[in-house]
């Protein structure tokens, strides 16, 4: 396994020859009945890291929004625009999925 933290999107991706990341092993964030419907506010336009920090107190969890909303956010940065409705996993569920 890679030497990335449990909250990293590369946590389960192997390192080849001790130097290079292998093909990305996707860390899915499955839909759950407890997910919250959220409309992106203007201050978070193009900044999923800011929303991740405000919600989960960890800016590095920005990738969770893209994984949970793959049908809406084709580009995890430029599709993250004010007025876009996405689903947010609750922190307790996210910790369970990530194993933290």
């Amino acid at each position: 396994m890679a030497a990335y933290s449990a909250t990293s999107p590369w946590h389960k991706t192997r390192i080849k020859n001790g130097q290079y990341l292998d093909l990305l092993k996707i860390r899915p964030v499955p839909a759950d009945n407890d997910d919250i419907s959220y409309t992106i506010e203007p201050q978070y336009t193009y900044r999923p890291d800011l929303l991740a920090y405000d919600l989960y107190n960890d800016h590095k969890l920005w990738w969770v929004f893209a994984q949970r909303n793959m049908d809406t956010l084709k580009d995890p940065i430029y599709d993250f625009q004010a007025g876009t409705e996405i689903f947010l996993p609750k922190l307790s569920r996210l910790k369970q999925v990530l194993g933290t």
Side-chain angles (χ1 to χ4, degrees), residues 15-47:
I15 295 179
K16 292 180 95 173
N17 301 325
Q19 297 179 1
Y20 309 103
L21 280 174
D22 201 353
L23 294 176
L24 174 66
K25 185 170 183 182
I26 299 287
R27 299 187 69 192
V29 179
D32 191 56
N33 292 337
D34 285 354
D35 289 350
I36 301 162
S37 177
Y38 176 77
T39 302
I40 299 172
E41 298 174 47
Q43 69 264 31
Y44 299 120
T45 296
Y46 307 133
R47 296 301 305 268

Side-chain angles (χ1 to χ4, degrees), residues 6-7 11-12 26-32 35 63-64 67-68 89-100:
T7 59
H11 178 69
K12 295 193 178 234
I26 299 287
R27 299 187 69 192
V29 179
D32 191 56
D35 289 350
W63 62 272
V64 168
Q67 288 299 336
R68 172 58 186 88
K90 289 187 176 178
L91 181 58
S92 57
R93 173 77 173 133
L94 187 56
K95 285 183 175 184
Q96 181 183 20
V97 169
L98 298 179
T100 58

Side-chain angles (χ1 to χ4, degrees), residues 65-98:
F65 307 131
Q67 288 299 336
R68 172 58 186 88
N69 298 281
M70 292 179 82
D71 55 335
T72 306
L73 302 174
K74 301 295 183 195
D75 184 301
I77 305 300
Y78 292 111
D79 288 342
F80 209 84
Q81 296 183 19
T84 303
E85 187 174 340
I86 61 173
F87 290 95
L88 305 174
K90 289 187 176 178
L91 181 58
S92 57
R93 173 77 173 133
L94 187 56
K95 285 183 175 184
Q96 181 183 20
V97 169
L98 298 179

